[in-house]
Amino acid sequence: MAQIKWPPVIARAAEIVESYSIPVTLRQIFYKLLMEGLIPNSDYAYKKLSAETADRRRAGEFPPLFDRGRGVLQPTSWESPKDGVQALAAQYRVDRTAGQPVALWLGVEKNALAGLIQAWFDEIGVPVLPLGGYSSESLDRQVKARTEAEGRPAVLVLSGDFDASGMDISRSFVEMTSCWEKVHRIGLDEELIDRYGLPVLRGKATDSRAAGFIAAHPEIHVRHSFGADEKGRLYPVQVELDAVDPEELRGLYQRVIDRYWDAAAFRAALASEKRHRTVLRRLAADL
């Protein structure tokens, strides 16, 4: 690729961000630019894109990106009891999943995307599981305890990278928790990769799961062969979940949610929440 002319790349990046009505991450914008042939798939290009957009965001010349990794940590405080009750009334929520026929859980392999998924589906109040790699015993135990306590079938909607570790992370979590009535892995697989024309990258030949992954998915490895390393180990393919268009990824989750969601139960929960907030506002008015 010829030398990158960053001003037009950044201008296009801003257009992409502004084209969405939902929050998006820097990594998602990086893949959009990569798929348009404007930047190469390299650490340098990603870091340069990060630096260039950060400089322009500080100057108010680039739209905001979603980033829950950093923020100011400080205890919440109020000037008076009345202010405290008013604040509680404004943020008060009931369990908005109450009355639903199943307990829906939204899982994702990457921590960076978990906050994004939570922002997309915050309104309905379903729990989001950021696996962040292989799950831990404490998380497995917590999830199992919650699903058992709810007393209704638990349904997991799960997404992750299409690579040797990503696919195995999903398998491992489902097996370790073993509490799901149904599991929907919505991304990624070969059909979605072909449908969206996602960039297929070279994975790590040193991954201990590479050989099994190649054997399980021979067709895509034939179509996108990266050869072998100096020790004769074949390179597996790798496709990152971040490469999926944000609207498409949100839609993949939404379509599964819609299969189980009881709209009448949700309206009832919201009505209950509204009544409770009215009580809190009256309490604040009396202070």
Side-chain angles (χ1 to χ4, degrees):
M1 176 176 285
Q3 185 174 4
I4 303 172
K5 295 181 179 179
W6 282 102
V9 169
I10 299 303
R12 175 57 185 147
E15 290 176 356
I16 293 171
V17 176
E18 291 171 342
S19 71
Y20 291 105
S21 60
I22 58 176
V24 294
T25 66
L26 177 69
R27 193 74 182 173
Q28 289 171 321
I29 300 308
F30 170 77
Y31 273 106
K32 292 287 287 186
L33 296 171
L34 172 64
M35 294 170 70
E36 292 182 9
L38 296 178
I39 56 175
N41 181 44
S42 67
D43 287 339
Y44 165 77
Y46 180 78
K47 290 176 181 178
K48 182 67 172 176
L49 178 65
S50 176
E52 292 284 341
T53 55
D55 288 344
R56 285 164 174 77
R57 276 182 282 162
R58 290 187 179 99
E61 299 171 353
F62 194 91
L65 293 171
F66 184 86
D67 180 10
R68 290 189 62 179
R70 298 172 186 174
V72 177
L73 302 178
Q74 184 177 7
T76 303
S77 61
W78 297 274
E79 293 184 1
S80 68
K82 183 172 184 176
D83 288 340
V85 177
Q86 287 177 332
L88 175 59
Q91 62 183 313
Y92 178 86
R93 290 178 67 155
V94 300
D95 176 7
R96 293 184 178 181
T97 72
Q100 293 296 324
V102 303
L104 280 169
W105 293 69
L106 308 182
V108 63
E109 176 195 337
K110 292 187 170 181
N111 285 335
L113 289 177
L116 195 60
I117 292 167
Q118 184 180 31
W120 290 345
F121 299 106
D122 176 74
E123 181 184 14
I124 62 175
V126 295
V128 176
L129 280 170
L131 299 185
Y134 282 93
S135 183
S136 66
E137 183 277 334
S138 59
L139 177 62
D140 297 343
R141 178 162 32 85
Q142 180 183 353
V143 169
K144 290 183 72 170
R146 280 192 54 173
T147 57
E148 290 171 3
E150 286 188 295
R152 52 182 170 172
V155 175
L156 175 64
V157 191
L158 184 62
S159 65
D161 292 343
F162 184 80
D163 60 21
S165 291
M167 298 294 282
D168 196 57
I169 285 169
S170 298
R171 176 206 59 77
S172 175
F173 177 71
V174 170
E175 288 186 4
M176 290 298 179
T177 48
S178 64
C179 59
W180 309 106
E181 180 78 13
K182 183 72 174 178
V183 176
H184 298 269
R185 193 178 194 280
I186 59 172
L188 280 169
D189 58 23
E190 295 179 62
E191 189 274 329
L192 287 176
I193 292 166
D194 291 340
R195 184 198 308 175
Y196 299 134
L198 303 180
V200 178
L201 311 176
R202 190 182 79 177
K204 297 179 180 179
T206 54
D207 191 322
S208 61
R209 301 166 191 86
F213 179 63
I214 293 170
H217 305 278
E219 291 187 9
I220 193 170
H221 284 90
V222 170
R223 287 187 284 119
H224 301 276
S225 176
F226 291 101
D229 66 5
E230 66 280 357
K231 293 186 178 181
R233 295 172 294 197
L234 294 176
Y235 288 106
V237 299
Q238 177 181 353
V239 183
E240 293 198 35
L241 186 64
D242 308 76
V244 179
D245 181 272
E247 290 280 12
E248 291 289 347
L249 181 59
R250 187 179 189 276
L252 290 172
Y253 276 98
Q254 187 67 62
R255 284 189 283 277
V256 178
I257 291 170
D258 290 344
R259 293 170 57 179
Y260 296 95
W261 196 249
D262 185 325
F266 183 54
R267 288 193 297 270
L270 292 181
S272 175
E273 182 176 289
K274 185 177 181 180
R275 290 193 298 271
H276 293 181
R277 285 184 175 181
T278 298
V279 172
L280 289 170
R281 291 191 183 99
R282 288 172 181 168
L283 288 174
D286 292 338
L287 292 175

